[in-house]
């Protein structure tokens, strides 16, 4: 999916475990199908998972989660990744890799709006002192920085309309409150449902402290138009925050769709869904 991606397989995982964590070397290793693109995931026995970054830009996620998940986990209503051990490069594999606790559940078709809102509210309520500042998602929007990939969608969408919608929402009043914790990537590939309820939120590679509007993303990535009002009310999003969140949803969509159109059906489909939901909402 990415230029320069590093291949992995179950044999590599077994070799790494045997050399570095022999206590786990006899457990079964099974590839996990995932819509994610930055990491290869293998289930290890029944209770563990191995994550290996596929590409250089993903290598900081392990350290980010190892540092901040112990801080955030006790204050959240759902489970989050729990790194148990970090391995080093070997056997031609060039990056740090990690063993995590396996989190039960499945990627959802639907998620209760109340569960998503309760997670977002809890995350925003965690003391953000010392947290990593947002430099991408969650940073201030620049109304002049229309995403160039919008033009690549001209054969499928009205690029002028997408630009108009994006620009209008990007011009919403900026966040004036203190920075809050944010996940930054709340869509169906990064949440787990167990027993019909939100049970875990995974992939914290975008977590930072900044404008909380980015975590309104589920309104367009996961929820229906009928469920959005309850979500919005619970998280307390005013008009400016809502518009910034919608701008982030459209930003992510127009970047993801052309990039993953031919390589990742899940993320391409997510992009189409978010574009459709944003345009329908704006049209009223």
């Amino acid at each position: 999916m990415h230029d320069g991606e590093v291949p992995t397989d179950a044999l590599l995982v077994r070799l790494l475990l045997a050399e570095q964590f022999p206590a786990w070397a006899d457990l079964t290793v099974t590839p996990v199908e995932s819509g994610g693109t930055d990491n290869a995931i293998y289930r290890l026995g029944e209770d563990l998972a191995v994550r290996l970054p596929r590409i250089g830009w993903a290598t900081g996620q392990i350290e980010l989660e190892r540092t901040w998940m112990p801080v955030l986990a006790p204050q959240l209503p759902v489970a989050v990744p729990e790194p148990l051990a970090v391995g080093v490069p070997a056997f031609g594999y060039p990056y740090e890799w990690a063993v995590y606790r396996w989190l039960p559940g499945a990627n959802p078709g639907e998620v209760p709006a109340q569960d998503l809102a309760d997670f977002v509210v809890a995350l925003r309520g965690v003391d953000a002192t010392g947290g990593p500042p947002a430099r991408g998602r969650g940073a201030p929007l620049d109304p002049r920085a229309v995403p160039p990939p919008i033009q690549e969608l001209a054969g499928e969408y009205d690029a002028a309309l997408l630009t108009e919608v994006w620009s209008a929402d990007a011009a919403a009043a900026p966040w004036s409150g203190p920075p809050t914790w944010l996940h930054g990537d709340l869509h169906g590939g990064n949440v787990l449902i167990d027993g019909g309820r939100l049970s875990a939120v995974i992939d914290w590679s975008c977590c930072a402290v900044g404008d909380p509007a980015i975590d309104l993303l589920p309104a367009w990535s996961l929820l229906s138009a009928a469920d959005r009002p309850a979500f919005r009310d619970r998280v307390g999003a005013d008009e400016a925050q809502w518009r910034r969140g919608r701008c982030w949803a459209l930003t992510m969509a127009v970047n993801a769709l052309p990039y993953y159109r031919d390589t990742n059906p899940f993320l391409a489909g997510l992009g189409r869904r978010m574009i459709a939901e944003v345009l329908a909402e704006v049209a009223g």
Side-chain angles (χ1 to χ4, degrees):
M1 285 173 281
H2 309 296
D3 292 338
E5 197 171 296
V6 175
T8 67
D9 56 25
L11 176 59
L12 173 64
V13 174
R14 293 189 189 98
L15 290 171
L16 292 169
L17 289 168
E19 179 185 75
Q20 299 179 36
F21 304 112
W24 294 322
D26 292 333
L27 297 176
T28 58
V29 176
T30 308
V32 175
E33 292 290 335
S34 170
T37 66
D38 291 349
N39 298 279
I41 308 296
Y42 295 84
R43 189 163 185 176
L44 182 58
E46 292 296 318
D47 302 319
L48 304 173
V50 176
R51 178 187 293 169
L52 297 93
R54 288 184 169 130
I55 195 76
W57 66 63
T59 55
Q61 180 177 343
I62 292 171
E63 184 59 30
L64 191 66
E65 291 184 341
R66 183 165 63 171
T67 300
W68 292 108
M69 292 304 95
V71 175
L72 297 174
Q75 304 180 71
L76 298 176
V78 298
V80 298
E82 183 182 350
L84 301 177
V86 177
V88 298
F91 302 105
Y93 179 75
Y95 307 131
E96 282 192 340
W97 55 282
V99 178
Y100 284 73
R101 196 170 305 283
W102 177 261
L103 295 175
N107 294 135
E110 297 181 1
V111 184
Q114 184 74 23
D115 288 3
L116 285 166
D118 287 347
F119 167 78
V120 170
V121 169
L123 180 59
R124 291 179 176 185
V126 178
D127 182 5
T129 303
R135 293 186 172 86
R137 299 177 191 179
L141 289 160
D142 181 353
R144 300 165 298 176
V146 178
I150 283 179
Q151 298 307 316
E152 298 179 43
L153 301 176
E156 190 172 351
Y157 296 95
D158 182 338
L161 175 61
L162 291 176
T163 300
E164 179 184 348
V165 171
W166 187 93
S167 298
D169 280 344
W175 176 243
S176 59
T180 70
W181 274 106
L182 51 93
H183 178 275
D185 203 18
L186 289 173
H187 59 70
N190 290 335
V191 300
L192 299 179
I193 295 292
D194 196 17
R197 304 299 301 272
L198 181 66
S199 61
V201 175
I202 60 175
D203 190 352
W204 289 71
S205 58
C206 297
C207 83
V209 296
D211 178 1
I214 184 64
D215 280 347
L216 299 177
L217 180 66
W220 303 277
S221 68
L222 280 164
L223 299 177
S224 68
D227 288 331
R228 278 186 210 123
F231 175 78
R232 179 175 178 174
D233 287 347
R234 174 71 178 116
V235 300
D238 62 17
E239 183 64 17
Q241 185 181 142
W242 191 254
R243 289 173 57 199
R244 293 195 311 275
R246 190 168 61 197
C247 186
W248 274 114
L250 189 55
T251 300
M252 293 169 63
V254 301
N255 279 284
L257 178 50
Y259 188 87
Y260 291 115
R261 190 195 304 272
D262 300 322
T263 60
N264 190 305
F266 171 77
L267 290 178
L270 176 64
R272 288 191 178 94
R273 174 194 171 124
M274 289 194 289
I275 291 172
E277 295 292 337
V278 167
L279 291 180
E281 182 175 85
V282 170

